[in-house]
Amino acid sequence: MPRVRFAPSPTGYLHIGSARTFIFNWLYVRKEGGTMVLRIDDTDVERNTEASMQSIFDGLNWLGLEWDEQYAQSERIALHQQMAWKIFDKGLAYRDFTPLQATEAERDPASGPWLGDPAMRALSQEDSQRRADAGEPFVLRYRVPRDENRWVTFKDLVYRKQSKNADDIEDFALLRSNGLPTYHMASCADDLDLRISHIIRGQDHLSNTFKHVLIFEALSDTMPEFAHLPLLIAPDGAKLSKRKHGPVVSVTTYRDAGFVPQAYVNFLCMLGWNPKNNQEFMTVEEIKEKFSFEGINRSNATVNFSEADPIDPKASWLNAQHLRTMPVSVLAPMVREALESAGVPVPADDAQFEQTVDIIRSRYAVLGDFPEKGRAYFCDHFTTTPEAEEKLNVPGARIALRELGETLATSEDFSETHIEEQLRAVAEKHGLKAGVLINGSRAVLTGQTVGPSAFAVFTAVGRERAIARLLAL
RNA sequence: GGCGCUAUCGUCUAAGGGUUAGGACGGAGCCCUCUCAAGGCUCAAAUACGGGUUCGAAUCCCGUUAGCGCUACCA
């Protein structure tokens, strides 16, 4: 049974790329029937914020994908330290007493890579211990094998065989001079302790993985599988950042723009992954069914947005597709919420409500369209556009429409066919083209010239309301 | 600078030695039609560059270029 983890660090809102990483983890583990772990990587105490934590949970909850276990790294520091010292005890790490400033000064990129301080590596056990006992601060560094032509290798499920000469890996830190673990140490210790079987994360960690392999080898006989995901980048080629690209990088932007979570998940999955069958519009269930690491690309994907439109056009299209095909019973509550937050009173009759939603949804692209463009379907306070007014000003139209209202009021039958029959009869009687009343009725009932088939509009608006609006002419 | 990864229409991508290089979004046009969408059809649009290997290269190899990542006591 695979165990995977999503490990965000709470230093900002939930990023679109992080959301996708979460989704890929989720897809894999739900398909295989394993365990999804949410681990908050909050070891960088100074940069963590409560707001960020909230934003992560908000985003994840909105996506509607759940996890099974949850941990905070800050509560597991003792474990990380213990594992770091275990590496030290095996002789695979050493204390580096070089002060921070001195280290920085010593590192000149022009003179080649910094690999470590030979003097510190060479320090005897006794000297090292004595200086530590005397209270001299130090960082604990991994003792990367030198001059052995040693290659560190691992197999990535996406990027295939990876290898790097140990002479190109610097002596990275395990514990900081304040005793707290670094990201590499904490992450690997937790992955081991939580028995993570598959590490699925952004490609920005591909190079780091060589270090992680070294840590895993020092601590365990087992090695997790790795799968790195191509990055999401901005149209200018840079990586997505809030400072530079604004709110597009946050998942809340899409939520607030009226996306249904299913569509957003669908969109994110198509960035860097595909089912190899030309299908792009898929339910989460279908994606889960088709998901595999072979379908993941190796090149970065550009999120296509502009200053004028922060939403990727493909995402909009996908949202419209989901909006008109998902079960109405799933959509209706979302529409209800959209109406509520827009201050439009929500009809009490559930059956009528769902019917209305079902009729109008194929013309809408986002949830916000329901209270905006669809206002007249749900409440009596709506404005009539000048174009609609024109349709009603056609000579004879108002009188005929009022008569149609009277006629419809005499019958319980409110089916589309009945309405059509009555409308055509009234039109003929008044010597009007049916089109005049067809367009006219849409105009009275919705205040608009655009919308569903005129007869469907009657049923969408509902009998009482429709008749009242006709009679009020 | 060093190391690693990547490179197909504007964007997301398919094709893993033989295709007129396919699909989708977006764009243009036509059809359908009670309006608007949707839907159907058509068009424009790509293998970064240079060398190899091969009867044959988008595909394999090498080089160049470009982008990205790592190179922190950030994650």
Side-chain angles (χ1 to χ4, degrees):
Chain A
M1 287 287 226
R3 289 174 58 86
V4 303
R5 44 62 155 197
F6 172 61
S9 56
T11 54
Y13 43 81
L14 183 63
H15 187 280
I16 176 169
S18 303
R20 192 190 55 158
T21 300
F22 177 91
I23 292 165
F24 282 171
N25 271 282
W26 185 93
L27 287 168
Y28 177 68
V29 83
R30 288 284 106 105
K31 179 177 182 176
E32 302 298 326
T35 307
M36 173 96 206
V37 173
L38 174 65
R39 190 183 76 207
I40 307 292
D41 278 9
D42 54 355
T43 51
D44 187 3
V45 192
E46 278 153 34
R47 287 167 60 205
N48 293 337
T49 68
E50 193 55 44
S52 164
M53 200 86 114
Q54 196 51 50
S55 151
I56 289 170
F57 284 114
D58 280 355
L60 257 24
N61 287 331
W62 177 64
L63 292 177
L65 309 176
E66 64 315 313
W67 55 95
D68 308 304
E69 296 174 16
Q70 185 177 329
Y71 305 89
Q73 231 172 24
S74 56
E75 293 163 358
R76 304 166 56 84
I77 289 170
L79 172 81
H80 309 149
Q81 290 168 328
Q82 183 202 320
M83 290 205 183
W85 287 111
K86 198 171 150 194
I87 295 174
F88 175 81
D89 290 342
K90 286 187 163 185
L92 295 172
Y94 63 94
R95 294 189 186 92
D96 180 355
F97 294 95
T98 315
L100 180 55
Q101 296 80 357
T103 311
E104 281 170 351
E106 174 191 314
R107 294 183 188 188
D108 177 12
S111 68
W114 179 90
L115 292 174
D117 185 337
M120 287 299 162
R121 275 177 73 107
L123 222 53
S124 72
Q125 281 273 21
E126 296 72 34
D127 285 346
S128 174
Q129 191 61 51
R130 186 164 24 76
R131 289 172 71 169
D133 289 343
E136 193 177 339
F138 60 86
V139 304
L140 194 67
R141 289 187 185 284
Y142 195 99
R143 189 190 297 275
V144 178
R146 296 285 171 234
D147 307 317
E148 299 171 13
N149 196 30
R150 165 74 201 284
W151 288 83
V152 181
T153 64
F154 66 95
K155 181 176 156 290
D156 190 275
L157 266 11
V158 174
Y159 288 89
R160 305 172 179 158
K161 283 232 167 304
Q162 299 293 317
S163 61
K164 190 172 197 169
N165 196 298
D167 291 336
D168 290 320
I169 303 172
E170 76 281 6
D171 286 349
F172 55 96
L174 264 19
L175 296 178
R176 308 178 232 211
S177 54
N178 62 8
L180 293 175
T182 61
Y183 161 75
H184 301 301
M185 187 63 238
S187 176
C188 292
D190 278 331
D191 288 337
L192 231 33
D193 185 66
L194 297 172
R195 304 181 328 278
I196 300 302
S197 64
H198 293 70
I199 297 178
I200 306 166
R201 73 225 307 189
Q203 190 240 48
D204 47 343
H205 285 298
L206 194 61
S207 311
N208 286 334
T209 306
F210 295 105
K211 295 171 191 167
H212 298 177
V213 166
L214 253 13
I215 296 178
F216 286 132
E217 280 179 353
L219 291 170
S220 164
D221 301 330
T222 62
M223 184 74 60
E225 302 268 9
F226 297 98
H228 288 87
L229 276 15
L231 267 19
L232 259 29
I233 57 176
D236 61 8
K239 80 173 191 186
L240 296 162
S241 82
K242 181 166 192 178
R243 196 171 50 79
K244 202 168 170 199
H245 304 109
V248 283
V249 300
S250 173
V251 315
T252 53
T253 300
Y254 281 74
R255 181 195 65 193
D256 298 344
F259 271 68
V260 294
Q262 294 86 325
Y264 188 61
V265 170
N266 189 173
F267 168 64
L268 252 26
C269 287
M270 292 305 139
L271 257 20
W273 175 83
N274 77 83
K276 309 268 183 194
N277 64 176
N278 277 347
Q279 196 184 354
E280 301 195 67
F281 164 50
M282 288 189 271
T283 63
V284 175
E285 207 46 42
E286 286 171 322
I287 296 170
K288 190 175 88 185
E289 200 61 36
K290 289 268 166 31
F291 184 79
S292 77
F293 291 118
E294 288 75 57
I296 298 178
N297 282 88
R298 290 175 211 99
S299 51
N300 293 346
T302 304
V303 182
N304 195 11
F305 62 87
S306 64
E307 214 152 306
D309 186 5
I311 305 294
D312 190 311
K314 179 96 96 181
S316 298
W317 174 76
L318 246 12
N319 197 52
Q321 294 294 317
H322 277 90
L323 220 51
R324 63 173 133 267
T325 54
M326 65 199 293
V328 205
S329 56
V330 177
L331 177 62
M334 298 180 193
V335 174
R336 206 172 271 280
E337 212 181 302
L339 291 173
E340 264 163 19
S341 67
V344 176
V346 181
D349 184 346
D350 278 343
Q352 172 68 40
F353 181 66
E354 286 196 7
Q355 188 188 7
T356 305
V357 168
D358 198 24
I359 290 170
I360 62 179
R361 63 169 166 166
S362 68
R363 309 184 140 67
Y364 297 163
V366 293
L367 289 171
D369 287 337
F370 287 88
E372 284 282 329
K373 301 176 183 170
R375 192 182 175 88
Y377 294 92
F378 302 108
C379 83
D380 291 320
H381 300 97
F382 59 91
T383 53
T384 299
T385 67
E387 295 79 27
E389 207 68 60
E390 260 175 54
K391 299 284 183 194
L392 293 172
N393 287 338
V394 172
R398 284 173 195 271
I399 297 164
L401 285 168
R402 203 181 308 132
E403 189 180 317
L404 175 62
E406 285 159 7
T407 312
L408 291 174
T410 63
S411 168
E412 283 303 312
D413 190 352
F414 203 66
S415 64
E416 287 189 35
T417 43
H418 177 253
I419 294 164
E420 179 162 6
E421 277 167 26
Q422 300 306 312
L423 182 142
R424 291 191 186 279
V426 172
E428 194 169 340
K429 181 178 160 195
H430 287 255
L432 293 169
K433 282 202 261 184
V436 171
L437 297 195
I438 285 173
N439 290 323
S441 54
R442 188 185 294 105
V444 208
L445 298 184
T446 69
Q448 297 166 356
T449 55
V450 302
S453 145
F455 307 113
V457 168
F458 278 87
T459 55
V461 170
R463 184 171 186 274
E464 305 309 316
R465 225 168 218 155
I467 291 172
R469 285 178 194 175
L470 287 170
L471 295 180
L473 272 173

